Amino acid sequence: MTAPTSLSTALAVALAWPALVTADPLPSWNDGDSKARIIEFVERVTDPDTQDYVPPADRIAVFDNDGTLWSEQPLYFQFYFALDQLAARAEADPALLDDPLLKSAVEGDMAAIAEAGTEGLLKIVMASYADQSVEDFIADARAWLATARHPETGLAYTDMVYQPMLELLRYLRDEDFETFIVSGGGIHFVRAFSESAYNIPPQNVVGTTGETSYSLADGVPTVTKDPGILFIDDKAGKPVGIDMHIGRRPIFAAGNSDGDFEMLEWSTAGEGPRLGLIVHHTDAEREWAYDRDSHVGQLVRGLDEGPDRGWVLVDMAADWAKIWPKEPQ
Amino acid sequence: MTAPTSLSTALAVALAWPALVTADPLPSWNDGDSKARIIEFVERVTDPDTQDYVPPADRIAVFDNDGTLWSEQPLYFQFYFALDQLAARAEADPALLDDPLLKSAVEGDMAAIAEAGTEGLLKIVMASYADQSVEDFIADARAWLATARHPETGLAYTDMVYQPMLELLRYLRDEDFETFIVSGGGIHFVRAFSESAYNIPPQNVVGTTGETSYSLADGVPTVTKDPGILFIDDKAGKPVGIDMHIGRRPIFAAGNSDGDFEMLEWSTAGEGPRLGLIVHHTDAEREWAYDRDSHVGQLVRGLDEGPDRGWVLVDMAADWAKIWPKEPQ
Ligand SMILES: [Ca+2]
Ligand SMILES: [Ca+2]
């Protein structure tokens, strides 16, 4: 007599199951400490019955871009764009090649570029867009992103965004966080794809900002990218950029290099519950493995001090079931 | 036979009336051209059946603050705050008074201050907050706004916001516009009250921005206001500030002085439907009347060119049924 009842109960439970359990918000994260701590944090700050409850307006989450939301090896993707733009410009205006550094850049002489250091890199980037309107720059960046392919994977650059981080961004937004990008990359370059790639609108992108000016260009009101840098959004510049653009201290901050150290330090030092997260590139097979000695995305202090500060150190190889939305062919 | 039917029809219509008509979104605006053009614009860009439909993500509306959202006479309210802060500082550190300009400021010698011009004004403002943390500055501004009273009206400054503009902000947000402040005033000062006064969160405030820096102050991660100006958000600086902070060209822009000219010019020059609006201070009885010759909020080009450019020129005396939420005692 009991068997049929149990059976029907079991059946009823089985049928109701999909409605009873919450779907996994982070399906591309393997079960483990990183995933558990993220979910525990989000559940805690969104539960009005806990002391740690944070009202939605204060649920500010900031993300570095290069190496945190998409890949950054062997060189920042924006730099490939700058090289291609510079080459196109030099075709129209060969006088640009009178400059030995720009000539090296157009010829793809990476050794010469590396030797020129940060200053040289900035010079190349600025020469690639100087005197262009912001609207034209963004249109060019979108056209480039639509066709350019990564030299090693053959993927479109926007297909090298991290699937687990897309899920994290969406999870946070579903829980009434407002998500921002705080990038050392150029603010206009990141805005060219932030909305389509991450569902982050331009007003939620903070980045390194070149000088711009407003004028009537042949009578048309135009904002133009000028040479010169107004603001570098890196290291101690990240809290400054967040204060300038957002005006609230984040309660969640994610990065991957020591360029993010101050952002995580400041974000996690405020009162109440806070979480810092570092993406540690440990997966030489599916992506790249690098940290202390890398020329791109160098990570030293974050490794040494992060765990003691309570920051989640994401081990890409162990924590991520998937890297990019599509695998390379 | 027809009479009773007519009567019952009339009764039915009368009873259904409140449900059939939309409540007036701008009750403090008198009926007239200004109100009609605002509503016509909003209805047009939000109607998916018109060619002029604008998707919500592009419904960016920007507002100047001083003279557009709250009063600005006889002096920008932020300047009264700076004078009070400077006086408090001088009490703790009398050496500040060795500087003749700062001494004049603390003594309230307005003639000497006026003589010092814009440069002197900036010097006074910067001396009033130098080396203070952003958080302390905002806390001080809030404490001051809670107790300070306007020298002529006796009102709290935040009670001198314009009721018709509060309704306009709310109407636009109800219609899925995102509202931003783009002020020549200091970004941190405006953020101290933007959320409580206008329901505009700090990340939606663009303003003149002083230099800041991040450091560990006695071990505490802190963003500090330094001397020096990074960016002046006025005149041609307004389109630049909008590009930097918002990254989209607004489709609606409101201002009150020639400091807003370029913002309106740029916003209304884009493709598709756009609206510029100028608050013209014409009401010497209820507020102040000033334009071409005013030392604060000077308006010349907007008056001369605004109408031909299709901008709505709001006549405060005629168009506004109410100025501030509460009338002065
Ligand atoms: Ca990075
Ligand atoms: Ca104004």
Side-chain angles (χ1 to χ4, degrees):
Chain A
M1 285 294 289
T2 54
T5 308
S6 287
L7 201 64
S8 67
T9 304
L11 192 67
V13 168
L15 288 171
W17 191 242
L20 285 175
V21 295
T22 309
D24 182 352
L26 301 173
S28 300
W29 290 71
N30 293 321
D31 288 331
D33 188 55
S34 296
K35 178 173 181 170
R37 288 186 60 201
I38 293 169
I39 292 176
E40 186 277 330
F41 173 77
V42 172
E43 291 185 344
R44 189 156 44 96
V45 301
T46 56
D47 180 352
D49 295 331
T50 71
Q51 266 202 321
D52 284 343
Y53 176 75
V54 175
D58 289 324
R59 292 181 202 159
I60 303 291
V62 290
F63 291 80
D64 168 60
N65 183 48
D66 296 308
T68 299
L69 295 180
W70 75 353
S71 297
E72 61 180 351
Q73 292 285 3
L75 279 176
Y76 297 125
F77 297 171
Q78 185 179 358
F79 195 62
Y80 291 115
F81 171 60
L83 290 181
D84 285 351
Q85 288 290 96
L86 191 63
R89 288 194 156 205
E91 220 162 283
D93 175 16
L96 275 174
L97 301 177
D98 293 349
D99 183 296
L101 176 64
L102 299 186
K103 188 161 185 288
S104 303
V106 168
E107 289 167 352
D109 179 350
M110 291 299 168
I113 294 169
E115 207 170 295
T118 306
E119 208 174 310
L121 200 133
L122 270 177
K123 183 180 171 182
I124 292 167
V125 170
M126 289 192 297
S128 76
Y129 65 60
D131 304 323
Q132 194 174 26
S133 79
V134 168
E135 285 174 9
D136 286 349
F137 173 89
I138 288 178
D140 280 3
R142 286 186 177 150
W144 181 82
L145 285 165
T147 57
R149 293 295 176 267
H150 187 275
E152 295 185 19
T153 65
L155 289 170
Y157 291 102
T158 47
D159 283 338
M160 293 176 72
V161 299
Y162 300 131
Q163 177 64 28
M165 297 303 278
L166 296 181
E167 293 167 7
L168 177 53
L169 286 169
R170 187 184 163 159
Y171 175 44
L172 291 171
R173 287 193 295 257
D174 283 349
E175 297 294 336
D176 290 331
F177 280 74
E178 188 168 351
T179 55
F180 292 83
I181 292 174
V182 179
S183 173
I187 191 167
H188 294 127
F189 180 72
V190 178
R191 284 173 174 168
F193 61 95
S194 64
E195 195 147 34
S196 56
Y198 307 125
N199 209 3
I200 292 180
Q203 62 266 41
N204 285 24
V205 174
V206 183
T208 291
T209 306
E211 298 278 357
T212 56
S213 59
Y214 173 80
S215 65
L216 298 183
D218 296 327
V220 179
T222 306
V223 178
T224 302
K225 288 175 79 70
D226 299 324
I229 295 291
L230 180 72
F231 170 68
I232 295 185
D233 192 48
D234 194 31
K235 300 191 172 71
K238 290 207 172 191
V240 167
I242 292 169
D243 174 68
M244 179 163 60
H245 282 262
I246 308 176
R248 295 189 209 259
R249 200 193 295 215
I251 66 165
F252 178 94
N256 79 300
S257 81
D258 284 350
D260 304 310
F261 189 88
E262 287 84 353
M263 174 169 82
L264 267 72
E265 177 181 61
W266 185 60
S267 298
T268 58
E271 284 178 24
R274 281 149 192 288
L275 194 65
L277 182 148
I278 293 177
V279 174
H280 187 198
H281 291 261
T282 52
D283 196 326
E285 273 187 39
R286 295 184 299 172
E287 205 234 9
W288 286 272
Y290 58 96
D291 46 42
R292 294 176 187 275
D293 301 318
S294 178
H295 62 296
V296 163
Q298 188 177 46
L299 180 66
V300 179
R301 282 192 80 187
L303 283 181
D304 291 341
E305 302 179 30
D308 283 348
R309 291 170 178 262
W311 301 346
V312 172
L313 218 61
V314 173
D315 179 338
M316 278 179 76
D319 287 334
W320 287 2
K322 197 171 190 177
I323 305 287
W324 302 309
K326 317 176 200 170
E327 297 305 316
Q329 300 300 313
Chain B
M1 287 291 290
T2 55
T5 308
S6 284
L7 200 67
S8 68
T9 304
L11 192 70
V13 167
L15 287 172
W17 192 244
L20 285 175
V21 297
T22 309
D24 182 352
L26 301 174
S28 300
W29 291 70
N30 294 322
D31 287 331
D33 188 56
S34 295
K35 179 174 181 170
R37 289 185 60 199
I38 293 169
I39 291 176
E40 186 277 330
F41 173 77
V42 172
E43 290 184 344
R44 189 156 43 96
V45 301
T46 57
D47 179 352
D49 295 331
T50 71
Q51 266 204 322
D52 283 343
Y53 176 74
V54 175
D58 290 323
R59 293 183 202 159
I60 304 292
V62 291
F63 291 79
D64 169 60
N65 183 49
D66 296 308
T68 299
L69 294 180
W70 74 355
S71 298
E72 62 179 351
Q73 293 285 4
L75 279 176
Y76 297 125
F77 298 171
Q78 185 179 358
F79 195 61
Y80 291 115
F81 171 60
L83 290 181
D84 285 351
Q85 289 289 97
L86 190 63
R89 287 196 158 205
E91 219 162 283
D93 175 16
L96 276 174
L97 301 177
D98 293 349
D99 183 295
L101 175 64
L102 299 186
K103 188 162 183 288
S104 304
V106 168
E107 289 168 353
D109 179 352
M110 291 298 168
I113 294 169
E115 207 170 296
T118 305
E119 207 174 310
L121 201 135
L122 270 177
K123 183 179 170 182
I124 292 167
V125 170
M126 289 194 296
S128 76
Y129 64 61
D131 303 324
Q132 195 174 24
S133 78
V134 168
E135 286 173 10
D136 286 349
F137 174 88
I138 288 179
D140 281 2
R142 288 186 177 150
W144 181 82
L145 286 165
T147 57
R149 293 295 176 266
H150 188 274
E152 296 185 19
T153 65
L155 289 170
Y157 292 101
T158 48
D159 284 337
M160 293 176 72
V161 299
Y162 301 132
Q163 177 65 28
M165 298 303 279
L166 295 180
E167 293 167 8
L168 177 54
L169 286 169
R170 187 183 163 161
Y171 174 43
L172 292 172
R173 286 192 296 259
D174 282 349
E175 298 295 335
D176 290 332
F177 280 73
E178 187 169 352
T179 55
F180 293 83
I181 291 173
V182 179
S183 174
I187 191 167
H188 294 126
F189 181 72
V190 178
R191 283 173 174 168
F193 61 95
S194 65
E195 194 146 34
S196 56
Y198 308 124
N199 209 4
I200 292 181
Q203 61 266 40
N204 285 25
V205 174
V206 182
T208 292
T209 306
E211 298 277 357
T212 57
S213 59
Y214 173 81
S215 65
L216 297 183
D218 296 328
V220 179
T222 305
V223 177
T224 302
K225 287 175 80 68
D226 298 325
I229 295 291
L230 180 71
F231 169 69
I232 294 185
D233 192 48
D234 195 31
K235 299 191 171 73
K238 289 206 172 191
V240 167
I242 292 168
D243 174 68
M244 179 161 62
H245 282 262
I246 307 175
R248 294 189 210 259
R249 200 194 295 215
I251 65 164
F252 178 95
N256 78 300
S257 82
D258 284 350
D260 304 309
F261 189 88
E262 287 84 353
M263 174 170 82
L264 267 71
E265 178 181 60
W266 184 60
S267 298
T268 59
E271 284 176 25
R274 281 149 192 287
L275 194 65
L277 183 148
I278 293 177
V279 175
H280 186 198
H281 291 263
T282 53
D283 196 325
E285 273 187 40
R286 296 184 299 172
E287 207 234 10
W288 286 272
Y290 57 96
D291 46 41
R292 294 178 187 275
D293 302 318
S294 179
H295 62 295
V296 163
Q298 188 178 47
L299 180 66
V300 179
R301 282 193 80 186
L303 283 181
D304 292 340
E305 302 179 31
D308 283 348
R309 291 170 178 264
W311 300 346
V312 172
L313 218 62
V314 174
D315 178 338
M316 279 178 75
D319 287 334
W320 287 3
K322 198 171 188 177
I323 305 287
W324 301 310
K326 317 176 202 171
E327 297 305 317
Q329 301 299 314

